[in-house]
Amino acid sequence: METRSFAWRPDRRPGCGACVRRHETARPPPEGSPAQIRAQINAPPKSFAPRGVAVIGATPNPLKGGNAILKNLLSGYRGGVYPVNPRYLQIEGLPCYPSISSVPDPLDLAIIFIPAPLVPASVEECAARGVAGVMIE
């Protein structure tokens, strides 16, 4: 996951040309022909066209949001859909995984629908797994 942070330069007043400095994580330069480099630069992030989506907090209870998200994906999404919840073995006819680290590849997006105190650890687990995008509901 790419992170960006912004910092104000304290030596400038906001009304007189305040400067915002952006620090980006270093990425290796693209390799290949000019056409290949343009394709790499202009390609949308994997999270915009994911090959696989994990629903963290999926549930078989039709009255809960985790089930609604899962059913919406199953009604039209053509990639892999992976429910994640350690309490269940199967949801909506799909095998349910106990954690994001046990979900098979390809996995480009995780939709998180769990209680707020559990979200930071879940996002860290997604980053460790190499998930390209995370959506917190």
Side-chain angles (χ1 to χ4, degrees), residues 2 8 10 20-21 23-24 41 49 53 56 60 62 64-65 68 73-74 76 92 100 107 111 114-115 120:
E2 184 176 317
W8 287 101
V20 177
R21 189 181 312 148
H23 305 281
E24 294 188 21
I41 292 171
V53 178
I56 301 172
K64 294 194 173 188
L73 286 169
L74 292 174
E92 298 294 330
I100 197 73
L107 179 61
I111 300 174
I114 56 177

Side-chain angles (χ1 to χ4, degrees), residues 30-47:
E31 295 180 6
S33 71
Q36 290 171 328
I37 292 172
R38 276 192 302 279
Q40 290 175 26
I41 292 171
N42 295 327
K46 289 181 182 179
S47 57

Side-chain angles (χ1 to χ4, degrees), residues 56 112-124 136-137:
I56 301 172
I112 301 177
F113 196 82
I114 56 177
L118 304 176
V119 170
S122 186
V123 171
E124 287 179 10
I136 301 169
E137 294 289 325

Side-chain angles (χ1 to χ4, degrees), residues 53-58 82-89 95-105 107 110 114 121-122 124-126 128-129 131:
V53 178
V55 180
I56 301 172
Y82 308 105
V84 177
N85 192 325
R87 295 186 202 162
Y88 305 103
L89 296 175
C96 189
Y97 299 91
S99 68
I100 197 73
S101 60
S102 61
V103 174
D105 283 330
L107 179 61
I114 56 177
S122 186
E124 287 179 10
E125 189 178 357
C126 288
R129 165 73 168 71
V131 178

Side-chain angles (χ1 to χ4, degrees), residues 45-53 77 79-80 107-109:
K46 289 181 182 179
S47 57
F48 285 0
R51 296 169 294 166
V53 178
Y77 175 68
L107 179 61
D108 296 324
L109 177 64

